[in-house]
PDB file of all heavy atoms in Angstrom:
ATOM      1  N   LYS A  43     126.345  98.942  92.581  1.00 79.00           N
ATOM      2  CA  LYS A  43     125.205  98.883  91.650  1.00 79.00           C
ATOM      3  C   LYS A  43     124.105  97.932  92.134  1.00 79.00           C
ATOM      4  O   LYS A  43     122.927  98.237  91.992  1.00 79.00           O
ATOM      5  CB  LYS A  43     125.668  98.464  90.251  1.00 79.00           C
ATOM      6  CG  LYS A  43     126.497  99.505  89.555  1.00 79.00           C
ATOM      7  CD  LYS A  43     125.652 100.683  89.150  1.00 79.00           C
ATOM      8  CE  LYS A  43     126.512 101.682  88.401  1.00 79.00           C
ATOM      9  NZ  LYS A  43     126.007 103.033  88.504  1.00 79.00           N
ATOM     10  N   PHE A  80     113.622  95.388  88.843  1.00 85.00           N
ATOM     11  CA  PHE A  80     112.901  96.657  88.799  1.00 85.00           C
ATOM     12  C   PHE A  80     111.556  96.478  88.089  1.00 85.00           C
ATOM     13  O   PHE A  80     110.514  96.883  88.592  1.00 85.00           O
ATOM     14  CB  PHE A  80     113.736  97.724  88.090  1.00 85.00           C
ATOM     15  CG  PHE A  80     112.991  99.007  87.855  1.00 85.00           C
ATOM     16  CD1 PHE A  80     112.850  99.932  88.866  1.00 85.00           C
ATOM     17  CD2 PHE A  80     112.424  99.278  86.621  1.00 85.00           C
ATOM     18  CE1 PHE A  80     112.157 101.115  88.657  1.00 85.00           C
ATOM     19  CE2 PHE A  80     111.733 100.457  86.398  1.00 85.00           C
ATOM     20  CZ  PHE A  80     111.598 101.377  87.419  1.00 85.00           C
ATOM     21  N   LEU A  97      96.798 101.111  76.568  1.00 91.00           N
ATOM     22  CA  LEU A  97      96.696 100.553  75.217  1.00 91.00           C
ATOM     23  C   LEU A  97      97.649 101.240  74.247  1.00 91.00           C
ATOM     24  O   LEU A  97      98.296 100.584  73.433  1.00 91.00           O
ATOM     25  CB  LEU A  97      95.266 100.679  74.680  1.00 91.00           C
ATOM     26  CG  LEU A  97      94.279  99.641  75.162  1.00 91.00           C
ATOM     27  CD1 LEU A  97      92.871 100.007  74.725  1.00 91.00           C
ATOM     28  CD2 LEU A  97      94.661  98.260  74.674  1.00 91.00           C
ATOM     29  N   LEU A 103     107.187  99.867  78.627  1.00 91.00           N
ATOM     30  CA  LEU A 103     107.158  99.550  80.056  1.00 91.00           C
ATOM     31  C   LEU A 103     106.341  98.290  80.299  1.00 91.00           C
ATOM     32  O   LEU A 103     106.774  97.382  81.018  1.00 91.00           O
ATOM     33  CB  LEU A 103     106.581 100.721  80.855  1.00 91.00           C
ATOM     34  CG  LEU A 103     106.351 100.467  82.347  1.00 91.00           C
ATOM     35  CD1 LEU A 103     107.678 100.223  83.065  1.00 91.00           C
ATOM     36  CD2 LEU A 103     105.601 101.632  82.972  1.00 91.00           C
ATOM     37  N   ILE A 108     105.783  92.636  81.812  1.00 97.00           N
ATOM     38  CA  ILE A 108     105.224  91.309  81.556  1.00 97.00           C
ATOM     39  C   ILE A 108     106.346  90.292  81.409  1.00 97.00           C
ATOM     40  O   ILE A 108     106.284  89.202  81.986  1.00 97.00           O
ATOM     41  CB  ILE A 108     104.311  91.325  80.315  1.00 97.00           C
ATOM     42  CG1 ILE A 108     103.014  92.065  80.640  1.00 97.00           C
ATOM     43  CG2 ILE A 108     104.006  89.907  79.823  1.00 97.00           C
ATOM     44  CD1 ILE A 108     102.151  92.371  79.439  1.00 97.00           C
TER      45      ILE A 108
END
Side-chain angles (χ1 to χ4, degrees):
K43 291 289 182 206
F80 173 81
L97 280 171
L103 174 65
I108 288 169

